[in-house]
């Protein structure tokens, strides 16, 4: 009886609900939804690619953080560095297969191991994206606060479906899972920056600003009146200064423990 009532309720509500299909999610992730390399004129195995002198020096700093013969530990930051080189002013970008091959060479890794890392983490774009990569959070808090309206507005404003790139090559959009700014939902991440507390008009304004003046023309962070994550009442806790954690002298503590153990050993030997 309960199941029949539930089915009837769903049928009555279905016309007024916009239901998200979990099975369609990979298709909305653009380049993240693929598991194979798709050759294009600018993404070939034999395409020449190398780090700039500045980024090569930065890569050596990254490698030096790991023990000898363990430079593979730098794979993720090395791929991130390569991807940013493909972007604008160190932001955004994508990873052609030739860049992955260069990372493999620099870290003395088999290329397949680098491909495995790049294809596992969604932070790496293995297909070309626009100058501004718009990641739209579609997880529960944003969904409840109007993420679908933000998605519709972006699609209408840019003339491209989620997962695609605008005709002018400026914007690539994709729906992603939680970006960790739930209190300021709904929100999007554009390259490295968060734009929060969005409405249809606010996201239109951000897109227009990016078109006309780039990142510097936008206001990064909450798009309303509030600052940070404060609610309309301001701070309701942590009203005073937060005390600093005490500085512990671990070297002195180690000596103290050693002295106590020595004393106990001496006492046991004389008993």
């Amino acid at each position: 009886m309960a199941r029949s009532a539930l089915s009837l309720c769903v049928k009555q509500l279905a016309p007024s609900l916009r239901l998200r299909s979990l099975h369609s999610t990979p298709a909305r992730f653009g380049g993240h939804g693929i598991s194979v390399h798709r050759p294009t004129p600018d993404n070939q195995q034999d395409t020449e690619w190398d780090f700039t002198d500045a980024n090569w020096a930065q890569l050596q700093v990254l490698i030096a953080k790991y023990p000898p013969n363990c430079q593979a530990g730098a794979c993720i930051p090395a791929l991130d560095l390569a991807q940013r080189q493909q972007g604008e002013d160190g932001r955004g970008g994508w990873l052609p297969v030739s860049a992955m091959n260069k990372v493999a060479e620099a870290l003395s890794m088999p290329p397949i191991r680098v491909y495995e890392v790049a294809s596992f983490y969604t932070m790496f774009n293995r297909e070309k994206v626009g100058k501004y990569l718009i990641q739209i959070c579609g997880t529960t808090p944003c969904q409840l606060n109007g993420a679908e309206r933000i998605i519709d507005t972006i699609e209408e404003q840019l003339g491209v479906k989620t997962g695609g790139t605008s005709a002018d090559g400026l914007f690539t959009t994709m729906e992603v899972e939680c970006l960790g700014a739930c209190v300021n939902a709904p929100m999007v991440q554009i390259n490295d920056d968060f734009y929060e507390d969005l409405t249809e008009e606010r996201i239109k304004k951000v897109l227009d600003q990016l078109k006309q003046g780039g990142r510097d023309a936008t206001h990064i962070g909450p798009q309303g009146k509030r600052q940070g994550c404060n609610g309309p009442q301001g701070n309701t806790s942590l009203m005073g200064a937060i005390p600093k954690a005490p500085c512990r002298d671990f070297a002195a503590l180690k000596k103290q423990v050693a002295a106590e153990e020595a004393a106990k050993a001496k006492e046991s030997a004389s008993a």
Side-chain angles (χ1 to χ4, degrees):
M1 179 67 70
R3 292 181 63 184
S4 299
L6 178 61
S7 298
L8 179 60
C9 181
V10 170
K11 289 180 180 179
Q12 292 174 339
L13 289 175
S16 62
L17 292 176
R18 178 174 176 180
L19 300 178
R20 300 173 67 209
S21 171
L22 295 178
H23 300 291
S24 68
T25 300
R28 304 186 75 173
F29 273 62
H32 298 329
I34 64 173
S35 58
V36 296
H37 171 60
R38 292 175 176 169
T40 60
D42 54 2
N43 193 7
Q44 301 280 350
Q45 287 278 356
D46 57 358
T47 301
E48 290 188 11
W49 194 96
D50 204 348
F51 286 101
T52 63
D53 291 342
N55 282 343
W56 180 257
Q58 179 62 27
L59 179 59
Q60 302 314 303
V61 173
L62 293 172
I63 294 174
K65 295 181 178 180
Y66 298 88
N69 300 322
C70 294
Q71 60 265 42
C75 186
I76 291 178
L79 286 172
D80 181 62
L81 186 64
Q83 177 165 280
R84 289 175 181 276
Q85 182 172 307
Q86 291 292 109
E88 295 281 340
D89 299 324
R91 299 183 180 87
W94 63 292
L95 271 178
V97 67
S98 53
M100 293 184 238
N101 291 339
K102 189 64 180 182
V103 168
E105 177 187 334
L107 301 182
S108 300
M109 294 174 64
I112 185 61
R113 298 302 183 197
V114 176
Y115 304 159
E116 288 170 348
V117 174
S119 61
F120 181 82
Y121 293 101
T122 58
M123 65 183 280
F124 297 122
N125 307 310
R126 292 178 296 115
E127 290 188 330
K128 193 171 185 178
V129 297
K131 180 178 180 180
Y132 302 110
L133 176 61
I134 304 176
Q135 299 179 74
I136 312 158
C137 181
T139 313
T140 307
C142 284
Q143 189 73 15
L144 293 175
N145 282 278
E148 292 290 355
R149 295 194 299 273
I150 301 304
I151 291 173
D152 290 341
T153 302
I154 292 174
E155 290 182 347
E156 180 181 350
Q157 191 80 350
L158 300 182
V160 61
K161 290 293 185 182
T162 302
T165 299
S166 59
D168 56 11
L170 278 179
F171 300 96
T172 296
T173 66
M174 60 180 65
E175 182 180 345
V176 299
E177 298 308 316
C178 185
L179 290 170
C182 307
V183 71
N184 290 1
M187 58 82 63
V188 301
Q189 178 179 340
I190 303 179
N191 291 346
D192 292 336
D193 304 316
F194 279 13
Y195 296 85
E196 306 156 338
D197 290 333
L198 293 174
T199 63
E200 292 96 317
E201 292 306 314
R202 288 173 181 173
I203 189 60
K204 286 180 182 178
K205 181 179 178 181
V206 170
L207 296 177
D208 287 340
Q209 290 170 334
L210 288 171
K211 288 180 181 179
Q212 296 169 11
R215 176 178 181 265
D216 292 341
T218 69
H219 173 70
I220 298 166
Q223 299 300 297
K225 295 181 179 180
R226 69 168 161 179
Q227 298 295 316
C229 300
N230 275 359
Q233 297 178 349
N235 286 356
T236 57
S237 62
L238 301 176
M239 305 297 288
I242 301 175
K244 292 184 178 179
C247 182
R248 301 179 65 185
D249 187 342
F250 288 101
L253 182 60
K254 186 176 181 180
K255 290 180 180 179
Q256 179 184 341
V257 171
E260 291 174 354
E261 291 179 348
K264 288 180 181 180
K266 184 176 180 180
E267 184 180 346
S268 299
S270 61

